Amino acid sequence: MPLNRRDFLNRSAATGAGIALTGAAGVLATAAPAQAKSHKPEEPERYSFSVLGTTDLHGNVFNWDYFTDAEFDDKPHNDVGLAKISTLVKQQRAAKGRRNVLLIDAGDTIQGTQLSYYYARVDPITAKHGPKHPMAQAMNAMDYDAAALGNHEFNYGIPLLRKFEDQCKFPLLGANALDARTGQPAFAPYSLHRMRVQGAPDVTVAVLGLTNPGIAIWDKGNVQGKMTFPGLEEQAAKYVPRLRAMGADVVIVSAHSGTSGTSSWGDQLPYVENAAALVAEQVPGIDAILVGHAHNEIPEYVVANKQTGQGVVLSEPAKWGQRLTVFDFEMERVNGAWEVVTVGASVLNSNTVEEDPEIVGLLRDEHAKVVEYVNQVIGDSAVAMSATESPYKDTPIIDFINHVQAETVKAALAGTEYAALPVLSQAACFSRTAAIPAGRVTLRDVAGLYVFENTLEARILTGAQIKAYLEFSANYFVQTPAGAPVDVSKLTNAGNTPDYNYDVVSGVSYEIDIARPAGSRVTKVTFQGAPIDESARFVFAVNNYRANGGGNFPGVATAPQVWANSEEIRNTIITYVEETGTIDPARFGDGDWKLTRDGVPVF
């Protein structure tokens, strides 16, 4: 049901969650070409328009999984990609009139698939006479009006992001992405859009763009000393009144920030990662928020502003182009000015339509290049390996990642003062569908083990810190009493902990007693067959996301760094297979850990 502002203000304000603010400074856009003015004696008193929104597209243009080399599919049979979204957008524009529809995005656009990786690293858009990014091509063809910056926009460095920005025909917005030297916005904070109303004054819609302050941690190597990222609430409070004073009749925030009010990196920064609800509650003058970052699906969620009692409508479409948010606005002329009467939000499912032939044809060649790239054979595997059971069992496929990381760090530290220290390594199950076949292994098989663009570091941790790290990781499991049935579908992800925040550590052996409460589960931690010495020093091979505080694991973010690499871990693994020619678990499958209950193995 659309939110009626007048009815809402007459009710007691309800508490809620989630809005974030976004925008682009100095950008003035027009939703459609100017229409001839009507010569009716009376101006229209009502006007309706829609704002369509996507988020967390993560490089998905086609309904295709480059890691399986097949059409994308999951248990709910979702579809993905901008080609599908484009069909839904065209349907909305045809039904409502092109001049009455805006299209915006809430960030995380250029990282996530092998398609986006190829044009960042293999055939980079930053090269002289380089190609145009597929996401820029698709979004330009779809006539996007604005897009907020996501945290993953910074994964490949600021120069590539700037090149992508140059290739887009719409503004990239980030009111809280500031130049570290001047403190001024490094990107446009907001954009203004004039909705042409036949026979009446335009309706001015402001889109404020906000990104995630966690960028300062997660992409520290790319942004430190160059950009800062203050909180969403403070920047929204700065820009929303300014936009209203500039004549905005409607203010929409496109925020790459979830609604939970929590942060994955604890208190390392004084800003909330998932602050959309806080923005809605604390900053008056916002009509709607397009939410991103959390990879949730929220068709419609109303949050009451604590100062005015006004309801703010927020919506988050599912990731990768699985859904399209539709905000419907009803305006009314009151005392010569436009006012929002009702706001409603809903989501459309991309699996209900076919891919847009225009987008498919536009990027057919780019798609074919990437398919050929990922299907090249790079080695052989002695046995088949699968990640299906990796979240709750010690599996060779995760041991393989740790083996490559540990060997890489050992080689890097050879001849240094740290060469004699034992090397431990951490890895997580990024995809339960990852698999290595027996026999010939392709690049896509190996790349599927590591779907993020993380790089490798080496830090120094003590035995005591290793034990604390393992204990924190064990929070991932749901407490299950001894003797109770074990349902593996309900055993993991306690407290909504994602799979990528459960780390397996190789080089030590340990047990996790899931019958015990969180905080007291890890037992029998040994190194080379003896109880680990809590004062001993170890080199810890760790990805940059974790080393910079991602997941809020204890100890590692403040631990001394003794080595770091700019090469993605994914490419390090691919190079290892190319150079050795064979993946053989006999070299690395060592059974470091297991789940127990009262000392009895669960499996």
Side-chain angles (χ1 to χ4, degrees):
M1 291 290 290
L3 173 68
N4 187 294
R5 291 299 174 80
R6 292 168 185 167
D7 291 346
F8 190 91
L9 291 172
N10 289 333
R11 299 198 302 263
S12 59
T15 59
I19 286 181
L21 234 42
T22 58
V27 177
L28 179 61
T30 301
Q35 303 290 314
K37 295 289 184 179
S38 170
H39 296 289
K40 293 181 180 180
E42 295 184 4
E43 294 183 350
E45 296 297 319
R46 309 277 292 196
Y47 172 66
S48 300
F49 73 97
S50 296
V51 177
L52 313 181
T54 55
T55 191
D56 296 281
L57 293 168
H58 284 288
N60 284 279
V61 172
F62 300 97
N63 188 41
W64 192 259
D65 186 338
Y66 292 96
F67 294 131
T68 63
D69 197 29
E71 183 175 309
F72 177 88
D73 195 22
D74 59 9
K75 288 183 179 179
H77 301 299
N78 288 302
D79 286 348
V80 300
L82 277 174
K84 290 268 185 172
I85 293 295
S86 183
T87 300
L88 292 174
V89 170
K90 286 183 175 179
Q91 289 177 349
Q92 288 289 302
R93 287 171 172 163
K96 298 174 179 178
R98 176 64 184 87
R99 67 186 180 88
N100 302 319
V101 177
L102 292 175
L103 175 60
I104 65 175
D105 183 80
D108 275 5
T109 302
I110 59 173
Q111 176 277 337
T113 64
Q114 285 295 291
L115 179 70
S116 56
Y117 178 82
Y118 186 89
Y119 289 97
R121 290 288 188 256
V122 182
D123 186 11
I125 63 173
T126 49
K128 187 176 182 180
H129 308 302
K132 181 173 284 190
H133 200 288
M135 295 301 287
Q137 292 190 61
M139 296 174 80
N140 287 342
M142 292 170 64
D143 288 330
Y144 268 80
D145 293 287
L149 295 165
N151 53 283
H152 283 287
E153 260 66 84
F154 294 85
N155 287 173
Y156 298 117
I158 294 175
L160 187 133
L161 175 55
R162 288 299 190 190
K163 185 64 175 181
F164 175 72
E165 181 186 28
D166 289 343
Q167 294 179 346
C168 292
K169 295 180 180 178
F170 51 90
L172 300 183
L173 309 179
N176 61 328
L178 308 182
D179 183 283
R181 183 178 59 85
T182 66
Q184 296 301 307
F187 293 84
Y190 59 85
S191 58
L192 296 174
H193 307 268
R194 290 176 177 168
M195 314 299 290
R196 301 298 194 187
V197 183
Q198 190 168 358
D202 300 340
V203 171
T204 300
V205 180
V207 180
L208 176 65
L210 297 174
T211 192
N212 205 288
I215 296 167
I217 289 178
W218 304 320
D219 267 305
K220 182 178 180 180
N222 289 328
V223 301
Q224 188 174 35
K226 301 173 184 176
M227 294 181 64
T228 61
F229 302 88
L232 284 79
E233 306 98 305
E234 68 175 66
Q235 293 302 104
K238 174 181 178 180
Y239 279 101
V240 172
R242 184 179 301 179
L243 292 170
R244 290 294 184 183
M246 292 169 64
D249 301 299
V250 179
V251 174
I252 299 169
V253 173
S254 181
H256 195 75
S257 182
T259 63
S260 66
T262 61
S263 296
S264 65
W265 28 261
D267 59 358
Q268 295 180 62
L269 283 179
Y271 310 116
V272 177
E273 175 184 347
N274 294 299
L278 298 175
V279 172
E281 291 176 352
Q282 297 177 14
V283 181
I286 299 169
D287 296 295
I289 298 176
L290 177 65
V291 177
H293 182 62
H295 288 203
N296 292 325
E297 181 179 340
I298 305 174
E300 183 183 68
Y301 190 30
V302 180
V303 177
N305 183 268
K306 290 183 176 180
Q307 181 175 330
T308 66
Q310 175 178 304
V312 182
V313 177
L314 55 118
S315 179
E316 181 177 5
K319 64 184 184 297
W320 306 346
Q322 294 176 0
R323 304 289 186 273
L324 174 70
T325 279
V326 180
F327 290 105
D328 288 315
F329 289 83
E330 183 74 22
M331 308 292 293
E332 185 176 72
R333 294 274 288 165
V334 178
N335 297 324
W338 287 111
E339 290 187 3
V340 177
V341 178
T342 62
V343 186
S346 59
V347 294
L348 302 177
N349 195 328
S350 65
N351 72 7
T352 62
V353 296
E354 297 297 320
E355 291 185 323
D356 182 353
E358 179 186 356
I359 304 301
V360 172
L362 179 67
L363 294 166
R364 182 179 287 110
D365 291 345
E366 287 84 347
H367 174 69
K369 285 181 182 179
V370 176
V371 169
E372 180 180 7
Y373 164 73
V374 300
N375 279 291
Q376 60 183 296
V377 175
I378 60 172
D380 293 276
S381 179
V383 298
M385 299 186 296
S386 169
T388 302
E389 297 181 324
S390 295
Y392 48 86
K393 287 185 181 180
D394 191 332
T395 57
I397 201 167
I398 303 300
D399 291 337
F400 174 53
I401 298 172
N402 272 327
H403 173 72
V404 174
Q405 292 182 163
E407 291 299 304
T408 301
V409 169
K410 288 176 185 177
L413 296 180
T416 73
E417 61 181 298
Y418 307 103
L421 293 179
V423 178
L424 312 181
S425 179
Q426 63 79 221
C429 177
F430 292 143
S431 170
R432 298 193 186 199
T433 61
I436 299 292
R440 299 202 310 171
V441 176
T442 64
L443 186 148
R444 66 176 171 83
D445 295 325
V446 177
L449 302 182
Y450 219 103
V451 298
F452 296 109
E453 276 68 48
N454 294 339
T455 58
L456 189 61
E457 297 188 15
R459 303 266 176 143
I460 301 296
L461 296 181
T462 66
Q465 288 175 312
I466 293 295
K467 290 176 70 173
Y469 192 99
L470 294 172
E471 192 65 68
F472 183 87
S473 188
N475 293 340
Y476 171 74
F477 296 101
V478 175
Q479 187 174 5
T480 309
V486 175
D487 182 349
V488 296
S489 68
K490 300 178 181 179
L491 182 61
T492 62
N493 307 100
N496 295 319
T497 302
D499 290 347
Y500 63 76
N501 272 345
Y502 171 60
D503 283 359
V504 169
V505 176
S506 71
V508 292
S509 296
Y510 56 98
E511 296 181 3
I512 300 173
D513 192 330
I514 59 174
R516 297 184 179 186
S520 60
R521 291 175 171 172
V522 177
T523 63
K524 301 180 181 178
V525 183
T526 63
F527 173 69
Q528 295 183 344
I532 193 168
D533 182 351
E534 294 195 354
S535 64
R537 295 198 307 161
F538 297 86
V539 175
F540 193 49
V542 59
N543 69 56
N544 68 303
Y545 171 79
R546 190 71 78 235
N548 289 334
N552 201 32
F553 278 62
V556 66
T558 56
Q561 182 195 79
V562 296
W563 177 80
N565 190 13
S566 60
E567 179 82 352
E568 288 99 344
I569 293 171
R570 174 197 294 142
N571 283 346
T572 300
I573 301 172
I574 289 170
T575 300
Y576 176 91
V577 176
E578 290 175 331
E579 292 180 348
T580 61
T582 303
I583 303 172
D584 187 356
R587 301 178 185 173
F588 51 79
D590 48 15
D592 289 322
W593 67 279
K594 60 186 173 183
L595 298 183
T596 64
R597 290 186 294 182
D598 293 343
V600 178
V602 175
F603 303 107

